[in-house]
Amino acid sequence: MQENNKKAARIASRATDALAVIAGAVSGGTGTTVVGAAKKIIGDKLMEKAVETAFSINYKGYWWVILIPPLVIAGGFFFLIVSFVSLFTPSQEQGFNGGSPSVYAQIKISPEDLQIFMAAQKKYDVAWNVLAAIASVESSFRHNPSVSEKGAVGFMQFMPTTWSGNRNPLARDDPAAPSYDTDPKSIVSYGGYGEDANGDGVADPYDSWDAVFAAAHYLKANGFHNDPRKAIYAYNHAEWYVDKILDVASTFTSEMLPDASAKILPVPKDAYNITSSFGNRPDPYVKNKTEFHQGIDIGANLGTQVFTVDDGTVLSSGYNDGFGLEIVIDHGSYKTQYAHLGENFVRPGDKVAVGDVIGVVGNSGRSTGPHLHFGVNVNGTWSDPEVFLGKEGGNCI
């Protein structure tokens, strides 16, 4: 028995080495989340079970233990496949709000409808430009569109049972003769999404106020804050539809903003002086050349305290080429960047609360004088911090 146990241990050891080689080849030293999770769930559990079995069984023969390395290798290849799939799966940030309407949006959308989309965003924290994109795709902003071939009705093309509640006896998804409930209280009792947003006592899918607010309600209920793509998918159950809505939404605004309100300025109020705005600007180092400025510059004295604008987790803290000493914080639905610092007080992984002092203003990196570079990134897109903070910091305490 002792000899059998030694052989089983050698085989288990070789299996562990094989798994380690595969894991190293897959991760390539990147430490990706998917690979790590796959290794943890598949590789470690498989090895744990294999070794446990190898040492607990009363051997009459141990020929079968030669199957352990192939099984472990098969598990390794499984999470290798998972990791490759992850490389081609775009990461999805959390929800966002739409920024200022583009010129195209102001031409395409009536002022009244634009007001409705904005109001729905304010109530439900669902991006107004996504709501507008749904209206554009579903009804071309027509207030009396035809019933769809599947029986969807109204400005935002709701299925009657979704509007009224699946078990509502007044709802029927019949393209030839659709019917739906218009009593707000009855709709709520049956779990429907129809709303009386304009307060006239009727929940009408052909009324733009009611329809847009109902759509925002539906998207929020389906997790827009956590995963916008998943929420939009629930509206039509097709990936091509999600892509189309997001493409149209991107034409209505050049900015995607955090679905959160700025709580505090990144520097003291009396030091909040914007010296360079977001967007294209003359290159401060090269004459007759422009550059895209992905944040705002706040001119302030050396040593001025720098605050985090919201609760979050420090993603990075250190020297970053032209940005000098830099801190990046993940707030869940967006990230903020603080650069050209004189000193950093936090490290990667630190939890920070709104108003915490994370560093001081400096002049490090590619800088022409003491200032704080402050950036806001939503879904991989740099947004105008002035819109988030409000002109002259008006959104903040």
Side-chain angles (χ1 to χ4, degrees), residues 23 28 43 54 68 115 117 150 164 224 237 246 316 338 354 364 389:
I68 294 176
Q115 176 190 3
F117 296 130
K150 293 185 177 180
S164 312
F224 186 88
H237 301 286
L246 291 176
S316 63
Y338 312 77
V354 57
S364 59
L389 299 172

Side-chain angles (χ1 to χ4, degrees), residues 199-230:
D200 64 359
V202 177
D204 181 4
Y206 286 90
D207 179 272
S208 53
W209 277 96
D210 295 353
V212 171
F213 272 63
H217 181 189
Y218 183 79
L219 290 176
K220 181 174 182 177
N222 280 278
F224 186 88
H225 173 80
N226 293 319
D227 190 341
R229 288 192 65 92
K230 182 179 179 181

Side-chain angles (χ1 to χ4, degrees), residues 281-293:
R281 67 175 185 180
D283 189 311
Y285 285 90
V286 182
K287 290 184 178 180
N288 301 321
K289 181 183 177 182
T290 60
E291 66 172 5
F292 178 73
H293 191 217

Side-chain angles (χ1 to χ4, degrees), residues 101-385:
S102 63
V103 173
Y104 175 74
Q106 295 178 49
I107 295 172
K108 184 77 173 178
I109 307 170
S110 72
E112 180 184 358
D113 286 344
L114 192 56
Q115 176 190 3
I116 297 170
F117 296 130
M118 294 287 189
Q121 172 180 274
K122 184 175 182 179
K123 179 176 181 180
Y124 286 107
D125 273 335
V126 171
W128 75 261
N129 54 321
V130 168
L131 296 169
I134 291 174
S136 176
V137 170
E138 296 287 0
S139 69
S140 298
F141 299 111
R142 288 179 290 114
H143 290 253
N144 192 30
S146 302
V147 176
S148 78
E149 60 181 19
K150 293 185 177 180
V153 298
F155 186 65
M156 301 295 279
Q157 291 288 278
F158 265 93
M159 296 301 292
T161 52
T162 305
W163 180 269
S164 312
N166 287 329
R167 297 185 179 181
N168 193 319
L170 298 179
R172 183 170 59 184
D173 295 340
D174 183 353
S179 63
Y180 48 87
D181 200 347
T182 60
D183 179 358
K185 292 183 179 179
S186 175
I187 290 172
V188 170
S189 69
Y190 283 105
Y193 292 93
E195 292 206 14
D196 174 26
N198 62 1
D200 64 359
V202 177
D204 181 4
Y206 286 90
D207 179 272
S208 53
W209 277 96
D210 295 353
V212 171
F213 272 63
H217 181 189
Y218 183 79
L219 290 176
K220 181 174 182 177
N222 280 278
F224 186 88
H225 173 80
N226 293 319
D227 190 341
R229 288 192 65 92
K230 182 179 179 181
I232 299 169
Y233 180 88
Y235 206 94
N236 187 275
H237 301 286
E239 287 295 342
W240 67 263
Y241 181 83
V242 178
D243 292 336
K244 186 171 185 178
I245 293 300
L246 291 176
D247 284 344
V248 174
S250 68
T251 68
F252 290 153
T253 178
S254 60
E255 304 155 341
M256 289 195 292
L257 303 173
D259 61 349
S261 298
K263 298 177 177 64
I264 192 172
L265 293 171
V267 295
K269 192 92 173 181
D270 59 4
Y272 186 67
N273 175 37
I274 298 176
T275 56
S276 184
S277 298
F278 175 84
N280 291 325
R281 67 175 185 180
D283 189 311
Y285 285 90
V286 182
K287 290 184 178 180
N288 301 321
K289 181 183 177 182
T290 60
E291 66 172 5
F292 178 73
H293 191 217
Q294 66 186 40
I296 58 174
D297 287 344
I298 302 169
N301 294 328
L302 291 173
T304 300
Q305 291 183 323
V306 175
F307 311 122
T308 179
V309 298
D310 200 351
D311 300 343
T313 303
V314 178
L315 285 180
S316 63
S317 178
Y319 204 89
N320 182 16
D321 296 331
F323 286 114
L325 281 177
E326 175 202 55
I327 297 170
V328 177
I329 298 177
D330 184 359
H331 304 285
S333 59
Y334 67 106
K335 299 177 181 66
T336 51
Q337 176 193 33
Y338 312 77
H340 304 301
L341 299 173
E343 190 175 357
N344 294 6
F345 298 155
V346 292
R347 296 179 298 179
D350 285 353
K351 302 294 184 182
V352 293
V354 57
D356 281 355
V357 179
I358 57 174
V360 297
V361 171
N363 190 29
S364 59
R366 190 172 181 264
S367 174
T368 57
H371 73 282
L372 170 70
H373 171 92
F374 177 69
V376 177
N377 189 293
V378 183
N379 283 314
T381 301
W382 291 104
S383 303
D384 187 350

